[in-house]
Amino acid sequence: MRHNRFVTPALILACGGSVVLGAPPVVSTFDTDDEGWSTDKDARNFRWEGEGGNPGGNVAADDVGTGQYWRFDAPAPYLGDKSSSYGESISYDIRQLGTVGTVTNQPDVRLTGAGITLEYRFGVAPGGDWSSFSVQIAAGIGWTRAGSPATEADIRAVLADLTHLSIRGEYRVGADSAALDNVSMGRGCAADFDGNGLLNFFDVSAFIAAYNNADPAADLAAPFGTFNFFDISAYIAEYNAGC
């Protein structure tokens, strides 16, 4: 990736902008219903539960135990053209119930689009308490395509026409159950770069650090793969728009 120049927080704070891009995050809290989620493979008894979540409601399913590894499938709001989600994150809370040996060789998050399937493995399994997981949707952090590292071009192609997003629901050999809560795709307030819910100098500093280090999270505008004024202008617009 190429930089046209390095920048400082003072430069951004002195500028204004008019670029508008990005999309609000997609979030499922399951507080009132299942929000269109479903399951695949040998899951049974998929259900919405109004309590027991983290907090509030959640969705859950049971494993039939036929040897297939079932997954939670995301509904339409998570699919389609999600190009603006490159560099952002997929996060969720999950809880497993079961006592038989842990399965560790299955992908935790799977994205499909443009004839490409991407997979990500956290390498750890949740237990009976709620566990939180989050993965950035970007190259170089562990996404694979057919067992090989996924490139930025691979990930951008999938996000441009995302047809399937699923989250692993089964971790254990034999029949068990799993519950899912607080799924989100996207960073939320794009200008809140340090993620603390406030917009201030520290967010600007965090963006500049990401930009100067060629972090994909700061590659906000075309031409992608090149860090230049368009990325800076995009961030200025997001910052000025507030949260």
Side-chain angles (χ1 to χ4, degrees):
M1 295 184 181
R2 297 187 291 111
H3 281 95
N4 280 2
R5 64 175 296 178
F6 281 79
V7 295
T8 66
L11 175 62
I12 282 192
L13 291 173
C15 294
S18 59
V19 177
V20 179
L21 76 161
V26 185
V27 178
S28 299
T29 61
F30 306 115
D31 286 338
T32 59
D33 57 36
D34 64 22
E35 300 188 30
W37 283 76
S38 59
T39 54
D40 67 1
K41 300 292 193 308
D42 68 344
R44 62 181 174 85
N45 193 28
F46 175 75
R47 58 198 179 275
W48 172 73
E49 298 177 337
E51 57 185 24
N54 193 32
N58 63 105
V59 291
D62 305 319
D63 177 32
V64 175
T66 62
Q68 302 180 79
Y69 295 103
W70 63 270
R71 310 178 64 81
F72 291 101
D73 287 339
Y78 289 84
L79 309 178
D81 184 357
K82 298 298 178 182
S83 301
S84 63
S85 292
Y86 186 88
E88 298 187 355
S89 298
I90 295 172
S91 303
Y92 59 93
D93 296 337
I94 194 164
R95 182 165 66 103
Q96 291 288 313
L97 301 175
T99 58
V100 186
T102 300
V103 178
T104 59
N105 63 347
Q106 299 298 312
D108 294 288
V109 183
R110 182 179 286 152
L111 304 175
T112 301
I116 300 170
T117 295
L118 305 175
E119 297 180 338
Y120 187 86
R121 291 168 168 81
F122 289 105
V124 294
D129 296 324
W130 287 105
S131 297
S132 298
F133 293 90
S134 182
V135 56
Q136 187 183 20
I137 314 170
I141 62 168
W143 288 96
T144 61
R145 174 185 179 181
S148 298
T151 66
E152 180 174 343
D154 291 334
I155 297 174
R156 288 194 183 278
V158 170
L159 290 176
D161 184 24
L162 188 60
T163 57
H164 187 218
L165 185 161
S166 66
I167 294 171
R168 178 180 180 181
E170 180 177 358
Y171 288 79
R172 300 180 181 277
V173 176
D176 58 359
S177 302
L180 181 71
D181 200 3
N182 300 323
V183 184
S184 68
M185 182 177 182
R187 186 170 51 230
C189 177
D192 184 18
F193 237 72
D194 64 3
N196 69 353
L198 301 173
L199 286 185
N200 53 32
F201 175 83
F202 297 105
D203 297 297
V204 177
S205 294
F207 169 77
I208 293 304
Y211 177 94
N212 287 337
N213 290 319
D215 187 325
D219 192 9
L220 299 179
F224 295 111
T226 297
F227 290 79
N228 56 26
F229 174 77
F230 295 108
D231 301 301
I232 298 169
S233 183
Y235 181 75
I236 292 168
E238 294 283 0
Y239 187 94
N240 288 341
C243 294

